[in-house]
Amino acid sequence: MTLPITDDGRPGAEVPVLNIANVLTVLRIVLVPVFVVLFFVADAQDPWWRVGAFVVFVLAMATDYVDGYLARRLGLVTDFGKIADPIADKALIAAAMISLSLVHELFWWVTIVILVREVGITLWRLFGVDHVVAASKGGKLKTVTQTLGLGMLILPLPHWVWPVEWAVIGVALVLTVYTGIDYLVKARQAARAGH
């Protein structure tokens, strides 16, 4: 159980761990292996299975927005959700990137750079509680471009779309690195200020 804080600063009613926001987070984790299995059917060459993997990927990413919205809107923020939500997000992104790299449709160096940043910042947030800074608009745009770029690569799109796919992945890569550095700089400033 977690005690939420109400608008007037007083503790609210206890929030059960088993709530709709956390259920959606767990569902996202469960969908990760489902995505991987669908992606690799027929060695990732069957277009219909790729479409199926894409649908699962999109549904899983959609739960990220919905569970966060419900947690804030309905006051369902729990310690479990704070830990499980970022893990679920990174697990899905990692599964998509590693899967694409294994079939040589995404450069391994791109996967490594993005995952090092994502895992590093996630660990900072989980263990550097005293100096955590809020997610920026750039961070949200980073997530959108990552999702869009990976989604396009997962789909069996025609060759002429490839330049668009790589342009989106390029933007996602730049935003990923930039927002990671920006986060660490702000966290360091917060640490120095004693916040």
Side-chain angles (χ1 to χ4, degrees), residues 90-114:
K90 303 322 175 224
L92 183 61
I93 292 294
M97 298 194 77
I98 292 171
S99 296
L100 287 163
S101 292
L102 285 171
V103 296
H104 310 292
E105 294 181 24
L106 181 63
F107 294 117
W108 274 109
W109 69 266
V110 174
T111 295
I112 291 168
V113 168
I114 290 179

Side-chain angles (χ1 to χ4, degrees), residues 1 21 42 62 64:
M1 295 280 190
D64 180 33

Side-chain angles (χ1 to χ4, degrees), residues 85-158:
D85 185 67
I87 291 174
D89 298 343
K90 303 322 175 224
L92 183 61
I93 292 294
M97 298 194 77
I98 292 171
S99 296
L100 287 163
S101 292
L102 285 171
V103 296
H104 310 292
E105 294 181 24
L106 181 63
F107 294 117
W108 274 109
W109 69 266
V110 174
T111 295
I112 291 168
V113 168
I114 290 179
L115 292 186
V116 165
R117 183 275 191 207
E118 295 293 357
V119 172
I121 296 299
T122 298
L123 291 175
W124 181 286
R125 284 179 169 156
L126 290 177
F127 299 109
V129 180
D130 290 338
H131 308 297
V132 173
V133 295
S136 65
K137 290 182 180 179
K140 293 175 182 176
L141 183 59
K142 175 265 302 180
T143 301
V144 170
T145 54
Q146 283 181 358
T147 303
L148 180 60
L150 292 173
M152 293 176 74
L153 288 174
I154 292 166
L155 276 175
L157 297 174

Side-chain angles (χ1 to χ4, degrees), residues 63-79:
T63 66
D64 180 33
Y65 170 78
V66 175
D67 67 15
Y69 173 80
L70 291 176
R72 292 185 299 271
R73 182 79 173 177
L74 303 178
L76 300 177
V77 177
T78 63
D79 291 336

Side-chain angles (χ1 to χ4, degrees), residues 41-42 44-53 154-156:
V41 170
Q45 298 305 308
D46 187 293
W48 290 109
W49 286 107
R50 291 284 289 258
V51 170
I154 292 166
L155 276 175

